[in-house]
Amino acid sequence: EELIGIDSLYYAHPDDLERIKSEFEDIIHHPNAIRKVEFRILHKDNSYRHIRLTAKNMIGESTISGLLINYNDITDEKALEKERARLEEQLRNQQKLESIGTLASGVAHEINNPINGIMNYGQIILDTKSENPDINESAKEIIHESQRVAEIVKNLLEFSRQNTESNSTARVEDIIERTLSLIRTVVRHDQIDLKIDVEKDLPDVECRSQQIQQVLMNLFTNARDALNNKYEGYHEDKKIIVQSSRIRKDETDWIRITVEDH
């Protein structure tokens, strides 16, 4: 009774109106045609429900002389579809991570062999004790840079490995540094100023360091994307600030890690 005399599209969502009108205009010109349209309609509680409308052109039927329309509330069905899509996407991402982990493991082993060879040759050059100081200095630099590459490969391998990690003692500084080692070059390429402020002598913590590293990586990635969207090139506010310190909350000691972007 409440709907008699009211335009059939009065409660339709404004963003769906043009599409619904187009379907109605089409069906009116096709006798006995049937159309199905999904759209949102206003509920009494001021929320929008998802509706599947089925319309049949019965204008030529003397007993009807109009469109016969059936409405079905498919809000719950839509919610299930959305949840199913989310779970499928989550599964795909999990499969990608597993593939990356397998790939990283293989790449790490392949890279470690030549890196160890480079370090050994650098050490041989250094052990010859050349009278040319430049050669000795270059050999030291070869060893140093090779060790840095080996550390990055190790961090990448640990980050990509999917395992059931248990709690262990870890240093927050090390977790932050391992994460930064994987993104520092990318951040520098994007002309982002990276500032690190970690309180000295933070106590060790019992944690799952790989999971914390995953959270930090997500925060760094989000911050980088946000800054790149706002600033195409260099800007003085294009910066990421990483801080870690002890705090006291609810009569308990905590270590807080903050990733801040402008």
Side-chain angles (χ1 to χ4, degrees):
E1 293 82 1
E2 297 172 58
L3 297 177
I4 293 174
I6 296 178
D7 189 300
S8 61
L9 300 182
Y10 182 78
Y11 291 110
H13 193 288
D15 293 345
D16 298 337
L17 275 175
E18 290 302 319
R19 180 166 49 85
I20 305 169
K21 287 179 179 178
S22 175
E23 292 285 352
F24 274 132
E25 289 172 4
D26 179 67
I27 194 173
I28 285 173
H29 294 95
H30 295 82
N32 297 316
I34 297 175
R35 295 287 186 275
K36 290 186 178 182
V37 187
E38 293 183 7
F39 65 100
R40 291 160 292 176
I41 196 166
L42 188 64
H43 191 277
K44 276 187 175 182
D45 64 6
N46 288 324
S47 68
Y48 276 97
R49 306 286 291 181
H50 288 271
I51 298 295
R52 181 180 292 120
L53 176 154
T54 303
K56 182 176 182 180
N57 183 340
M58 301 185 73
I59 296 174
E61 298 284 339
S62 58
T63 55
I64 303 293
S65 298
L67 300 180
L68 183 62
I69 299 175
N70 181 40
Y71 295 88
N72 285 310
D73 188 334
I74 59 169
T75 304
D76 293 340
E77 182 182 325
K78 282 287 186 181
L80 287 174
E81 287 178 3
K82 187 175 181 181
E83 178 63 14
R84 184 164 55 248
R86 186 189 69 82
L87 291 174
E88 288 174 354
E89 180 65 20
Q90 193 176 43
L91 178 61
R92 283 194 294 271
N93 289 337
Q94 181 68 23
Q95 291 170 338
K96 288 178 185 177
L97 282 174
E98 290 174 358
S99 299
I100 291 171
T102 303
L103 179 63
S105 177
V107 170
H109 289 301
E110 290 297 322
I111 291 178
N112 275 334
N113 290 330
I115 286 297
N116 286 328
I118 292 170
M119 278 193 283
N120 290 336
Y121 281 121
Q123 191 62 51
I124 290 172
I125 295 171
L126 194 60
D127 291 343
T128 58
K129 295 182 172 57
S130 171
E131 294 181 0
N132 187 336
D134 290 340
I135 292 179
N136 293 330
E137 192 61 34
S138 296
K140 290 180 182 178
E141 195 63 27
I142 289 171
I143 295 171
H144 172 72
E145 292 299 321
S146 299
Q147 289 172 337
R148 195 161 70 90
V149 172
E151 185 65 22
I152 292 173
V153 171
K154 176 187 172 187
N155 291 339
L156 179 62
L157 181 59
E158 289 181 357
F159 179 72
S160 300
R161 186 182 294 123
Q162 301 298 305
N163 57 19
T164 53
E165 183 189 23
S166 58
N167 281 6
S168 60
T169 303
R171 298 174 71 244
V172 172
E173 299 98 314
D174 292 342
I175 296 173
I176 294 174
E177 181 52 40
R178 283 202 302 270
T179 312
L180 290 175
S181 72
L182 300 177
I183 66 156
R184 197 175 261 113
T185 301
V186 176
V187 167
R188 189 183 302 118
H189 175 268
D190 291 335
Q191 301 181 65
I192 296 174
D193 184 15
L194 183 61
K195 296 188 179 297
I196 305 164
D197 181 15
V198 178
E199 183 180 315
K200 292 182 179 180
D201 302 322
L202 287 174
D204 293 348
V205 293
E206 288 287 328
C207 66
R208 297 189 177 188
S209 58
Q210 185 177 332
Q211 292 189 2
I212 294 178
Q213 189 177 351
Q214 175 72 63
V215 172
L216 289 175
M217 179 63 80
N218 290 345
L219 292 173
F220 287 136
T221 302
N222 289 346
R224 170 180 172 253
D225 290 345
L227 289 170
N228 284 336
N229 286 336
K230 186 167 185 179
Y231 309 112
E232 290 187 5
Y234 170 78
H235 192 280
E236 60 181 8
D237 279 336
K238 196 175 183 182
K239 61 180 68 175
I240 298 175
I241 302 170
V242 188
Q243 295 176 310
S244 183
S245 61
R246 280 174 284 204
I247 64 169
R248 185 77 175 171
K249 184 178 180 182
D250 299 330
E251 299 184 358
T252 306
D253 291 323
W254 301 81
I255 292 180
R256 176 163 57 196
I257 304 173
T258 305
V259 178
E260 174 189 339
D261 69 77
H262 286 202

